[in-house]
Protein backbone atom coordinates (compact mmCIF):
# COMPACT_ATOMS: atom_id res chain seq x y z
CA UNK A 1 0.00 0.00 0.00
CA UNK A 2 1.20 3.53 -0.78
CA UNK A 3 1.66 5.91 2.16
CA UNK A 4 -1.77 7.59 2.59
CA UNK A 5 -0.14 11.01 2.66
CA UNK A 6 1.63 10.38 -0.66
CA UNK A 7 -1.14 8.73 -2.65
CA UNK A 8 -1.89 10.48 -5.97
CA UNK A 9 -5.37 11.93 -6.34
CA UNK A 10 -7.51 10.04 -8.87
CA UNK A 11 -10.79 11.29 -10.34
CA UNK A 12 -13.35 8.61 -11.15
CA UNK A 13 -15.09 9.96 -14.24
CA UNK A 14 -16.97 6.67 -14.53
CA UNK A 15 -18.46 4.54 -11.73
CA UNK A 16 -16.48 1.39 -10.99
CA UNK A 17 -17.33 -1.83 -9.12
CA UNK A 18 -16.77 -1.78 -5.37
CA UNK A 19 -14.00 -4.39 -5.62
CA UNK A 20 -11.98 -2.20 -8.00
CA UNK A 21 -12.68 0.88 -5.90
CA UNK A 22 -11.28 -0.86 -2.86
CA UNK A 23 -8.14 -1.93 -4.76
CA UNK A 24 -7.60 1.55 -6.15
CA UNK A 25 -7.98 3.14 -2.72
CA UNK A 26 -4.88 1.24 -1.60
CA UNK A 27 -2.77 3.45 -3.86
CA UNK A 28 -4.89 6.50 -4.72
CA UNK A 29 -7.07 9.11 -3.07
CA UNK A 30 -10.36 8.67 -4.92
CA UNK A 31 -12.80 11.39 -5.96
CA UNK A 32 -16.12 10.89 -7.75
CA UNK A 33 -16.53 13.37 -10.58
CA UNK A 34 -20.34 13.35 -10.31
CA UNK A 35 -20.21 14.24 -6.60
CA UNK A 36 -17.67 17.07 -6.60
CA UNK A 37 -18.94 20.52 -5.66
CA UNK A 38 -17.40 23.59 -7.38
CA UNK A 39 -15.49 24.54 -4.23
CA UNK A 40 -14.05 21.04 -3.98
CA UNK A 41 -12.87 21.24 -7.58
CA UNK A 42 -10.99 24.43 -6.82
CA UNK A 43 -9.19 22.80 -3.88
CA UNK A 44 -8.45 19.67 -5.91
CA UNK A 45 -7.28 21.49 -9.05
CA UNK A 46 -3.57 21.46 -8.24
CA UNK A 47 -3.64 17.98 -6.68
CA UNK A 48 -5.44 15.82 -9.23
CA UNK A 49 -2.95 13.70 -11.15
CA UNK A 50 -5.05 11.04 -12.91
CA UNK A 51 -8.51 10.22 -14.23
CA UNK A 52 -10.22 6.88 -14.73
CA UNK A 53 -12.67 7.04 -17.66
CA UNK A 54 -14.66 4.71 -19.88
CA UNK A 55 -15.12 4.62 -23.65
CA UNK A 56 -18.07 7.01 -23.48
CA UNK A 57 -16.35 9.62 -21.26
CA UNK A 58 -15.83 13.14 -22.56
CA UNK A 59 -12.67 14.94 -21.50
CA UNK A 60 -12.18 18.19 -23.39
CA UNK A 61 -9.23 20.53 -23.70
CA UNK A 62 -10.95 22.94 -21.29
CA UNK A 63 -11.43 20.19 -18.72
CA UNK A 64 -7.76 19.23 -18.96
CA UNK A 65 -6.73 22.84 -18.47
CA UNK A 66 -8.79 22.93 -15.27
CA UNK A 67 -6.52 20.24 -13.82
CA UNK A 68 -2.95 21.59 -14.25
CA UNK A 69 -1.38 18.66 -12.35
CA UNK A 70 -3.14 16.05 -14.50
CA UNK A 71 -0.68 13.58 -16.03
CA UNK A 72 -2.60 10.36 -16.77
CA UNK A 73 -5.94 9.28 -18.29
CA UNK A 74 -6.73 5.58 -17.99
CA UNK A 75 -9.65 4.45 -20.17
CA UNK A 76 -11.71 1.33 -19.48
CA UNK A 77 -12.49 0.24 -23.03
CA UNK A 78 -11.36 0.82 -26.60
CA UNK A 79 -13.03 4.04 -27.72
CA UNK A 80 -11.49 7.42 -26.96
CA UNK A 81 -13.66 9.57 -29.24
CA UNK A 82 -14.68 11.84 -26.36
CA UNK A 83 -11.11 12.55 -25.28
CA UNK A 84 -9.22 15.42 -26.92
CA UNK A 85 -6.04 13.49 -27.66
CA UNK A 86 -4.31 16.49 -29.25
CA UNK A 87 -4.90 18.54 -26.13
CA UNK A 88 -3.65 15.69 -23.97
CA UNK A 89 -0.45 15.42 -26.00
CA UNK A 90 0.07 19.18 -25.85
CA UNK A 91 -0.35 19.14 -22.07
CA UNK A 92 1.90 16.08 -21.65
CA UNK A 93 -0.92 13.88 -20.40
CA UNK A 94 -0.52 10.14 -21.01
CA UNK A 95 -3.64 8.37 -22.31
CA UNK A 96 -3.99 4.59 -22.13
CA UNK A 97 -6.95 2.44 -23.16
CA UNK A 98 -7.60 -1.32 -23.12
CA UNK A 99 -7.96 -2.37 -26.78
CA UNK A 100 -6.56 -5.88 -26.69
CA UNK A 101 -8.76 -7.50 -24.07
CA UNK A 102 -12.10 -6.98 -25.86
CA UNK A 103 -11.08 -7.87 -29.43
CA UNK A 104 -12.35 -11.44 -29.36
CA UNK A 105 -15.62 -10.52 -27.64
CA UNK A 106 -16.35 -7.81 -30.21
CA UNK A 107 -15.55 -10.17 -33.09
CA UNK A 108 -17.86 -12.81 -31.60
CA UNK A 109 -20.67 -10.28 -31.35
CA UNK A 110 -20.10 -9.18 -34.94
CA UNK A 111 -20.67 -12.69 -36.24
CA UNK A 112 -23.66 -13.06 -33.92
CA UNK A 113 -25.20 -9.90 -35.38
CA UNK A 114 -24.58 -11.07 -38.93
CA UNK A 115 -26.03 -14.52 -38.27
CA UNK A 116 -29.03 -13.01 -36.52
CA UNK A 117 -29.74 -10.74 -39.47
CA UNK A 118 -29.21 -13.23 -42.28
CA UNK A 119 -31.10 -16.10 -40.60
CA UNK A 120 -33.74 -13.71 -39.18
CA UNK A 121 -33.36 -15.13 -35.69
CA UNK A 122 -35.27 -12.34 -33.92
CA UNK A 123 -38.19 -12.43 -36.37
CA UNK A 124 -38.34 -16.24 -36.27
CA UNK A 125 -38.33 -16.19 -32.46
CA UNK A 126 -41.29 -13.80 -32.50
CA UNK A 127 -43.00 -15.99 -35.12
CA UNK A 128 -42.90 -18.95 -32.73
CA UNK A 129 -43.78 -16.90 -29.62
CA UNK A 130 -46.84 -15.41 -31.31
CA UNK A 131 -48.16 -18.80 -32.37
CA UNK A 132 -47.92 -18.05 -36.07
CA UNK A 133 -46.13 -21.34 -36.80
CA UNK A 134 -49.54 -22.99 -36.50
CA UNK A 135 -50.60 -21.11 -39.65
CA UNK A 136 -47.63 -22.16 -41.77
CA UNK A 137 -43.87 -22.36 -42.10
CA UNK A 138 -41.55 -19.40 -41.66
CA UNK A 139 -40.15 -18.13 -44.98
CA UNK A 140 -36.53 -19.06 -45.79
CA UNK A 141 -33.69 -16.83 -44.69
CA UNK A 142 -30.40 -16.00 -46.33
CA UNK A 143 -27.44 -18.39 -46.63
CA UNK A 144 -24.54 -17.48 -44.36
CA UNK A 145 -21.65 -19.80 -45.24
CA UNK A 146 -19.60 -19.40 -48.39
CA UNK A 147 -20.53 -15.76 -48.92
CA UNK A 148 -18.38 -12.69 -49.58
CA UNK A 149 -17.48 -10.44 -46.66
CA UNK A 150 -16.05 -6.94 -46.97
CA UNK A 151 -14.42 -5.42 -43.89
CA UNK A 152 -14.03 -1.67 -43.45
CA UNK A 153 -10.98 -1.33 -41.21
CA UNK A 154 -8.84 -4.46 -40.96
CA UNK A 155 -7.24 -3.73 -37.60
CA UNK A 156 -7.30 -5.97 -34.53
CA UNK A 157 -11.07 -6.37 -34.52
CA UNK A 158 -11.44 -6.56 -38.29
CA UNK A 159 -8.78 -9.26 -38.46
CA UNK A 160 -10.51 -11.25 -35.70
CA UNK A 161 -13.79 -10.99 -37.62
CA UNK A 162 -12.02 -12.19 -40.79
CA UNK A 163 -10.63 -15.25 -39.00
CA UNK A 164 -14.10 -16.22 -37.86
CA UNK A 165 -15.64 -15.61 -41.28
CA UNK A 166 -13.07 -17.89 -42.91
CA UNK A 167 -14.32 -20.73 -40.69
CA UNK A 168 -17.62 -20.27 -42.55
CA UNK A 169 -15.80 -20.57 -45.90
CA UNK A 170 -16.26 -16.89 -46.71
CA UNK A 171 -14.02 -14.94 -49.05
CA UNK A 172 -12.63 -11.79 -47.44
CA UNK A 173 -11.92 -8.37 -48.92
CA UNK A 174 -11.18 -5.13 -47.12
CA UNK A 175 -10.50 -1.42 -47.30
CA UNK A 176 -8.89 1.07 -44.95
CA UNK A 177 -6.34 3.86 -44.88
CA UNK A 178 -3.69 1.80 -46.68
CA UNK A 179 -3.35 -1.78 -47.95
CA UNK A 180 -1.55 -4.21 -45.65
CA UNK A 181 1.33 -5.90 -47.53
CA UNK A 182 1.29 -8.97 -45.28
CA UNK A 183 -2.44 -9.62 -45.77
CA UNK A 184 -3.62 -11.98 -48.51
CA UNK A 185 -7.20 -10.70 -48.57
CA UNK A 186 -8.14 -8.55 -51.56
CA UNK A 187 -7.80 -4.81 -51.06
CA UNK A 188 -10.22 -2.22 -52.45
CA UNK A 189 -9.29 1.43 -52.71
CA UNK A 190 -12.76 2.72 -51.79
CA UNK A 191 -15.64 1.62 -49.60
CA UNK A 192 -18.02 1.92 -52.55
CA UNK A 193 -15.94 -0.49 -54.65
CA UNK A 194 -15.74 -2.89 -51.73
CA UNK A 195 -19.49 -2.75 -51.14
CA UNK A 196 -20.20 -3.56 -54.78
CA UNK A 197 -18.04 -6.69 -54.56
CA UNK A 198 -19.42 -8.30 -51.38
CA UNK A 199 -22.58 -9.68 -49.77
CA UNK A 200 -21.84 -8.61 -46.20
CA UNK A 201 -20.26 -5.24 -45.38
CA UNK A 202 -18.84 -5.12 -41.85
CA UNK A 203 -17.73 -1.78 -40.40
CA UNK A 204 -14.86 -2.12 -37.91
CA UNK A 205 -13.26 1.29 -38.48
CA UNK A 206 -12.52 3.95 -35.87
CA UNK A 207 -14.65 7.05 -35.47
CA UNK A 208 -13.57 10.63 -36.10
CA UNK A 209 -13.74 13.23 -38.85
CA UNK A 210 -12.05 11.01 -41.44
CA UNK A 211 -14.74 8.33 -41.28
CA UNK A 212 -17.82 10.39 -40.45
CA UNK A 213 -20.67 9.47 -42.82
CA UNK A 214 -18.38 7.10 -44.72
CA UNK A 215 -21.21 4.61 -45.25
CA UNK A 216 -23.56 6.82 -47.25
CA UNK A 217 -26.33 6.33 -49.79
CA UNK A 218 -23.90 5.55 -52.62
CA UNK A 219 -22.21 2.80 -50.60
CA UNK A 220 -25.55 1.26 -49.64
CA UNK A 221 -26.67 1.40 -53.27
CA UNK A 222 -23.48 -0.43 -54.23
CA UNK A 223 -24.06 -3.08 -51.56
CA UNK A 224 -27.34 -3.93 -53.25
CA UNK A 225 -30.71 -5.55 -52.51
CA UNK A 226 -29.21 -8.79 -51.16
CA UNK A 227 -26.56 -7.00 -49.11
CA UNK A 228 -26.24 -6.86 -45.31
CA UNK A 229 -24.57 -4.06 -43.35
CA UNK A 230 -23.08 -4.61 -39.87
CA UNK A 231 -21.65 -1.76 -37.81
CA UNK A 232 -19.68 -2.42 -34.63
CA UNK A 233 -17.28 0.49 -35.19
CA UNK A 234 -18.79 3.88 -34.36
CA UNK A 235 -22.27 5.22 -35.02
CA UNK A 236 -20.89 8.30 -36.76
CA UNK A 237 -19.48 6.17 -39.59
CA UNK A 238 -22.93 5.34 -40.97
CA UNK A 239 -25.29 7.98 -42.39
CA UNK A 240 -28.33 6.84 -40.40
CA UNK A 241 -30.85 8.74 -42.54
CA UNK A 242 -29.45 7.11 -45.68
CA UNK A 243 -29.54 3.71 -43.95
CA UNK A 244 -33.20 4.12 -42.97
CA UNK A 245 -34.06 5.01 -46.55
CA UNK A 246 -32.06 2.06 -47.92
CA UNK A 247 -33.80 -0.39 -45.57
CA UNK A 248 -37.26 1.03 -46.21
CA UNK A 249 -36.80 0.85 -49.99
CA UNK A 250 -35.03 -2.54 -49.78
CA UNK A 251 -31.98 -1.02 -51.42
CA UNK A 252 -30.19 -3.38 -49.03
CA UNK A 253 -31.68 -6.46 -47.39
CA UNK A 254 -30.74 -6.09 -43.73
CA UNK A 255 -28.64 -4.15 -41.25
CA UNK A 256 -27.32 -5.03 -37.80
CA UNK A 257 -26.06 -2.23 -35.56
CA UNK A 258 -24.36 -2.17 -32.16
CA UNK A 259 -23.46 1.55 -32.31
CA UNK A 260 -25.46 4.68 -33.06
CA UNK A 261 -24.91 8.37 -33.76
CA UNK A 262 -26.63 9.72 -30.63
CA UNK A 263 -26.53 6.69 -28.35
CA UNK A 264 -28.14 5.81 -26.04
CA UNK A 265 -30.84 7.64 -28.01
CA UNK A 266 -31.72 5.62 -31.10
CA UNK A 267 -33.64 7.01 -34.05
CA UNK A 268 -37.30 5.89 -33.90
CA UNK A 269 -37.11 5.33 -37.65
CA UNK A 270 -34.44 2.68 -37.09
CA UNK A 271 -36.38 0.98 -34.29
CA UNK A 272 -39.51 0.67 -36.43
CA UNK A 273 -37.82 -1.20 -39.29
CA UNK A 274 -38.55 -4.92 -39.68
CA UNK A 275 -35.25 -5.73 -41.42
CA UNK A 276 -32.79 -4.60 -38.77
CA UNK A 277 -31.13 -5.96 -35.61
CA UNK A 278 -30.20 -3.51 -32.86
CA UNK A 279 -28.03 -4.09 -29.78
CA UNK A 280 -27.08 -1.47 -27.13
CA UNK A 281 -23.33 -0.99 -27.75
CA UNK A 282 -22.63 -4.28 -26.00
CA UNK A 283 -20.14 -6.01 -28.32
CA UNK A 284 -17.38 -5.90 -25.70
CA UNK A 285 -19.72 -6.44 -22.75
CA UNK A 286 -18.92 -9.87 -21.36
CA UNK A 287 -18.27 -10.49 -17.68
CA UNK A 288 -14.83 -11.87 -18.47
CA UNK A 289 -13.99 -9.02 -20.84
CA UNK A 290 -15.12 -6.32 -18.44
CA UNK A 291 -13.06 -7.82 -15.63
CA UNK A 292 -10.00 -7.91 -17.88
CA UNK A 293 -10.56 -4.28 -18.94
CA UNK A 294 -10.89 -3.15 -15.33
CA UNK A 295 -7.72 -4.96 -14.35
CA UNK A 296 -5.77 -3.54 -17.29
CA UNK A 297 -6.99 0.01 -16.65
CA UNK A 298 -5.87 -0.32 -13.04
CA UNK A 299 -2.52 -1.72 -14.13
CA UNK A 300 -1.97 1.25 -16.47
CA UNK A 301 -2.44 3.60 -13.52
CA UNK A 302 -0.09 1.61 -11.31
CA UNK A 303 2.55 1.42 -14.03
CA UNK A 304 2.37 5.14 -14.71
CA UNK A 305 3.00 5.97 -11.06
CA UNK A 306 5.61 3.24 -10.57
CA UNK A 307 3.48 1.22 -8.18
CA UNK A 308 2.66 -2.43 -7.69
CA UNK A 309 -0.75 -3.92 -6.94
CA UNK A 310 -0.85 -4.24 -3.15
CA UNK A 311 -3.72 -6.71 -3.39
CA UNK A 312 -1.62 -9.17 -5.42
Amino acid sequence: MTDPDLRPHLLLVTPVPLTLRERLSQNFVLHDDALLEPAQRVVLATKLRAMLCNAQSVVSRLQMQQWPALEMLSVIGVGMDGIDLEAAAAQGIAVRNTPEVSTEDIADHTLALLLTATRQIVQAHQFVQQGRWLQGRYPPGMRFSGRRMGIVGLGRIGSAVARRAQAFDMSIAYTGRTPKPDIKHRWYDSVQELAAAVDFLVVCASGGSQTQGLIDASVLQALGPQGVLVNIGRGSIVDEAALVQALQSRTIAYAALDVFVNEPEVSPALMELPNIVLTPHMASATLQGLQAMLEQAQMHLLEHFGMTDATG
Side-chain angles (χ1 to χ4, degrees), residues 199-213:
D199 304 302
F200 308 145
L201 187 65
V202 179
V203 180
C204 301
S206 302
S209 59
Q210 291 186 330
T211 58
Q212 185 167 0

Side-chain angles (χ1 to χ4, degrees), residues 119-140:
R119 300 308 302 268
Q120 301 180 38
I121 301 299
V122 174
Q123 297 92 329
H125 171 75
Q126 294 168 343
F127 183 83
V128 175
Q129 273 193 326
Q130 295 164 7
R132 287 185 284 157
W133 194 7
L134 296 170
Q135 282 75 54
R137 294 180 61 83
Y138 189 83

